Amino acid sequence: MTQEKWPVKLPDYRLDGKVAIVTGGTKGIGYAIAMMFAAFGATVVVSSRHQAECDSVAEQINRLGGTAAGIAADVGRPAEVKRLIRETVQRLGDLNILVNCAGVAITKPILEMDEGDYDRVMDANLRGVFFASKEAAAAMVERKHGGRIIQIASIGALKGTNQISTYCASKAAVLSLTKTMALEWSRYGITTTALCPGYVKTEINAAQFQDEEFLAKTLKGIPQRRLGTADEVAAIALFLASDYSSMITGSAIVADMGATSQ
């Protein structure tokens, strides 16, 4: 399909020449996003807390013909986030896309949560998003070429869910933060969007979904009667990272098989 004969601009989701950081990029949705971006031409920085895991995923991308590097960072520590952004720009010369996918969920009733539980979730899910986005935006502003910042939130931001109170609260805060970032950074050509997946089966929750009773109860609340896949979420992230999403900023994109429609 060629552009010349069509009277509309046809989308091309290639990310050639773009440098993208994916936090939480060694597992689950983050891993799928890192692979998807690399397959479409981006140079991907794979980040998580453990350097060996970052290197392993980066090496896999390079073997497949993509381009990647691993840089470990604990997103709950602002100094490490700052180092991640600085090292990315120093090593690769630019930063065009940030995907904040690193996150933590602790499953406990509110009455059993303690301060340590609260801090662990909020540090990863909110503090990490705030400071990673801030540092990435500063790098993008300095280079005067705009950019894309994508927050991986959750439908937990839109509705209460038993026993993951701090997770839901942190993701709801991310949605509000995304709107404010859009107000402040649109003038620099930076878009900020939040992607809210519903239930997605990954290696992290695979054992949970092997429980037939739990799976049946979960599916009953999903109109499509199925779980999502990390690949589907990564495909949406690819669109949000592309030049064809430039009209979208400050928005929450919900991909939940209809779960929040009820």
Side-chain angles (χ1 to χ4, degrees):
M1 189 182 302
T2 58
Q3 175 66 64
E4 289 76 15
K5 69 177 183 178
W6 296 98
V8 294
K9 188 176 181 180
L10 301 178
D12 178 359
Y13 299 110
R14 295 293 304 177
L15 300 177
D16 300 282
K18 307 288 188 183
V19 175
I21 295 174
V22 182
T23 72
T26 59
K27 294 182 175 68
I29 290 172
Y31 171 86
I33 291 172
M35 288 291 167
M36 187 76 72
F37 283 14
F40 277 78
T43 297
V44 178
V45 171
V46 180
S47 188
S48 74
R49 290 181 299 163
H50 306 291
Q51 186 64 51
E53 294 179 5
C54 297
D55 289 341
S56 177
V57 174
E59 288 167 8
Q60 184 182 7
I61 288 172
N62 292 329
R63 286 197 305 271
L64 291 169
T67 305
I71 302 177
D74 181 344
V75 297
R77 299 176 182 271
E80 292 197 25
V81 168
K82 190 169 187 175
R83 176 185 54 76
L84 168 64
I85 302 301
R86 184 178 64 247
E87 188 172 340
T88 295
V89 173
Q90 287 175 345
R91 288 174 58 177
L92 301 174
D94 210 346
L95 176 60
N96 308 96
I97 303 159
L98 169 68
V99 181
N100 284 307
C101 193
V104 170
I106 294 177
T107 305
K108 282 184 182 180
I110 292 172
L111 293 177
E112 295 179 13
M113 295 285 288
D114 60 29
E115 187 175 350
D117 295 330
Y118 179 93
D119 287 344
R120 183 182 171 203
V121 174
M122 290 298 178
D123 282 353
N125 297 4
L126 184 56
R127 181 192 292 262
V129 167
F130 181 93
F131 284 101
S133 299
K134 172 181 177 288
E135 296 296 337
M140 293 170 183
V141 169
E142 183 178 349
R143 279 151 191 77
K144 299 181 180 178
H145 57 36
R148 300 281 185 267
I149 296 176
I150 303 165
Q151 325 293 14
I152 304 302
S154 166
I155 61 167
L158 306 173
K159 66 186 189 72
T161 305
N162 285 332
Q163 299 192 36
I164 53 171
S165 56
T166 48
Y167 177 83
C168 292
S170 67
K171 296 299 186 179
V174 165
L175 298 194
S176 178
L177 185 60
T178 298
K179 292 181 180 296
T180 301
M181 289 174 174
L183 291 174
E184 294 190 10
W185 297 341
S186 287
R187 72 193 71 178
Y188 303 114
I190 300 169
T191 66
T192 57
T193 51
L195 174 49
C196 299
Y199 289 101
V200 174
K201 186 176 181 180
T202 67
E203 63 268 28
I204 296 169
N205 58 26
Q208 209 175 12
F209 285 121
Q210 285 176 351
D211 182 328
E212 292 186 5
E213 184 178 348
F214 177 82
L215 177 61
K217 184 178 179 180
T218 300
L219 295 180
K220 190 175 180 181
I222 302 174
Q224 287 189 359
R225 297 295 189 265
R226 71 178 183 94
L227 303 176
T229 68
D231 292 351
E232 289 175 299
V233 178
I236 300 169
L238 175 65
F239 164 69
L240 293 175
S242 77
D243 292 341
Y244 289 86
S245 67
S246 58
M247 290 177 66
I248 304 173
T249 192
S251 298
I253 309 301
V254 179
D256 66 353
M257 294 75 68
T260 55
S261 300
Q262 302 186 90

